[in-house]
C-alpha cells in the first residue's frame, strides 16, 4: 500500500502544488469542454431532455438536432483528449530540450486517440467476464442471503468490479502518455512495464475509485436544479476525475519508463 499511496500522492501533488500552472496548461481543453457543454445545453435543451426521458415517453429529436448534439459531444470529447495530452506533455517534457514545444501536433493527437480507442476496446473485452462473474456472484448471494443482505453485498461486488476495471485500465494505459510524447508504445509493452508494480496498482485502483466516489458524492450535494449550471458543474467533475487519472498515468510513465523517483 505504501507504493500505491506514493503514486497517488505524487500524481495529486503535481496537480495542486501549483494550481495556477495546472489551470494554465489545461485551459484550452477546459474552454473546449465547457464551451461545448454550454452550447449543447443552451441551444438544444429539448433534445437533451428528450434523450434523458423514460423510454416509454421518449420522442427522438430531429436528425439535425441529433447531428448538432453529436458534434458538440465530439468537441467535448476532444477537449478531454486535449486535456490529457497537454498534461502529459507539460509534466514529462518540462525541463527537457523540448520544454519550449509543448503544443501537440495533429499526428500526436490522432495517435493518442487511436491508442485510447484500443485501450477502450481492450477494457470492453475485459468487462465481459467481469460482468458475467459479478452477475453469477450476485445470483448466488440473492439465493443464500435473501433480498436484504444481497442489496448491500451487491453494492460491494459492484465496487470491487469497478476496482478491477480501473486496475486493467492502469495496466494498459501507459501507452497514452507515450503517445502524447510521440513515442508510440504497444499495448503489451504497457502491460509488461506495469508488471513489477501490478500488486500496488490494486491499491491505486481502489484509491482512485474512492476519490471518484467522494467527488461524485460532493457534486451530488451541491448540484443545482438549473440545467445550465448543473451541466457545467458535471463537466467540471468529469474533468477533475479525468485529470487525476491522467496524472496517475503520467506518474506511472515517468516512474516506470523514465525511471523517475516518486519523491
Amino acid at each position: 500500500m505504501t507504493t500505491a499511496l506514493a503514486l497517488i500522492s505524487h500524481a495529486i501533488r503535481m496537480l495542486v502544488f501549483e494550481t495556477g500552472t495546472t489551470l494554465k496548461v489545461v485551459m484550452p481543453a477546459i474552454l473546449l469542454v465547457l464551451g461545448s457543454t454550454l452550447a449543447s445545453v443552451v441551444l438544444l435543451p429539448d433534445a437533451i431532455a428528450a434523450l434523458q426521458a423514460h423510454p416509454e415517453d421518449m420522442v427522438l429529436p430531429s436528425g439535425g438536432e441529433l447531428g448538432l448534439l453529436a458534434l458538440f459531444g465530439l468537441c467535448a470529447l476532444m477537449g478531454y483528449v486535449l486535456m490529457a495530452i497537454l498534461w502529459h506533455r507539460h509534466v514529462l517534457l518540462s525541463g527537457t530540450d523540448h520544454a519550449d514545444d509543448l503544443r501537440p501536433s495533429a499526428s500526436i493527437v490522432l495517435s493518442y486517440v487511436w491508442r485510447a480507442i484500443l485501450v477502450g476496446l481492450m477494457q470492453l473485452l475485459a468487462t465481459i467476464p467481469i460482468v458475467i462473474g459479478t452477475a453469477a456472484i450476485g445470483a448466488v448471494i440473492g439465493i443464500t442471503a435473501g433480498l436484504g443482505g444481497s442489496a448491500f453485498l451487491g453494492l460491494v461486488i459492484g465496487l470491487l468490479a469497478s476496482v478491477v476495471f480501473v486496475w486493467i485500465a492502469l495496466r494498459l494505459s501507459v501507452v497514452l502518455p507515450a503517445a502524447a510524447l510521440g513515442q508510440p508504445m504497444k499495448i503489451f509493452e504497457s502491460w509488461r512495464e506495469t508488471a513489477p508494480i501490478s500488486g500496488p496498482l490494486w491499491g491505486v485502483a481502489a484509491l482512485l475509485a474512492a476519490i471518484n466516489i467522494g467527488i461524485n458524492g460532493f457534486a451530488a450535494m451541491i448540484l443545482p436544479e438549473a440545467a445550465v449550471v448543473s451541466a457545467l458543474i458535471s463537466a467540471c467533475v468529469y474533468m477533475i476525475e479525468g485529470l487525476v487519472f491522467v496524472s496517475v498515468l503520467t506518474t506511472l510513465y515517468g516512474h516506470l519508463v523514465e525511471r523517475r523517483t516518486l519523491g
Side-chain angles (χ1 to χ4, degrees):
M1 198 62 180
T2 302
T3 302
L5 288 172
L7 287 166
I8 287 287
S9 61
H10 186 276
I12 294 178
R13 189 166 60 248
M14 288 193 299
L15 293 173
V16 302
F17 184 70
E18 294 183 358
T19 308
T21 301
T22 301
L23 291 175
K24 181 181 178 181
V25 169
V26 300
M27 186 55 68
I30 292 174
L31 294 176
L32 184 55
V33 171
L34 294 185
S36 302
T37 302
L38 183 62
S40 63
V41 175
V42 171
L43 299 178
L44 301 166
D46 295 335
I48 294 175
L51 293 176
Q52 292 176 340
H54 192 276
E56 295 179 356
D57 303 323
M58 181 180 292
V59 178
L60 286 178
S62 66
E65 289 179 326
L66 285 176
L68 197 55
L69 198 59
L71 176 62
F72 289 141
L74 181 60
C75 288
L77 186 60
M78 289 307 299
Y80 288 108
V81 170
L82 182 60
M83 177 186 72
I85 295 174
L86 289 174
W87 187 250
H88 290 319
R89 291 178 68 81
H90 165 70
V91 172
L92 297 171
L93 293 180
S94 294
T96 69
D97 295 337
H98 303 284
D100 297 328
D101 186 27
L102 298 182
R103 280 196 243 175
S105 64
S107 61
I108 284 179
V109 173
L110 291 175
S111 175
Y112 195 95
V113 170
W114 170 240
R115 279 163 179 77
I117 291 173
L118 287 178
V119 170
L121 289 174
M122 295 292 288
Q123 285 182 277
L124 184 61
L125 290 175
T127 300
I128 297 174
I130 293 174
V131 171
I132 294 174
T134 301
I137 295 173
V140 172
I141 290 173
I143 295 172
T144 58
L147 294 178
S150 64
F152 173 74
L153 291 175
L155 176 62
V156 172
I157 292 171
L159 291 175
L160 291 176
S162 68
V163 170
V164 174
F165 188 79
V166 174
W167 181 82
I168 292 171
L170 291 170
R171 294 293 308 272
L172 299 175
S173 297
V174 175
V175 298
L176 299 180
L181 298 180
Q183 300 173 0
M185 175 187 292
K186 292 182 173 60
I187 295 287
F188 77 87
E189 291 178 302
S190 174
W191 191 268
R192 183 188 64 202
E193 290 289 349
T194 55
I197 60 168
S198 59
L201 284 183
W202 285 108
V204 175
L207 289 170
L208 284 174
I211 290 171
N212 287 344
I213 290 172
I215 292 174
N216 284 313
F218 178 73
M221 290 189 294
I222 66 171
L223 212 59
E225 294 184 2
V228 173
V229 180
S230 178
L232 292 177
I233 291 177
S234 296
C236 289
V237 168
Y238 293 137
M239 279 192 288
I240 292 171
E241 292 177 346
L243 196 51
V244 171
F245 184 76
V246 164
S247 194
V248 169
L249 293 184
T250 308
T251 300
L252 285 175
Y253 184 88
H255 180 57
L256 297 174
V257 179
E258 297 185 343
R259 307 305 175 191
R260 301 189 186 193
T261 65
L262 296 175

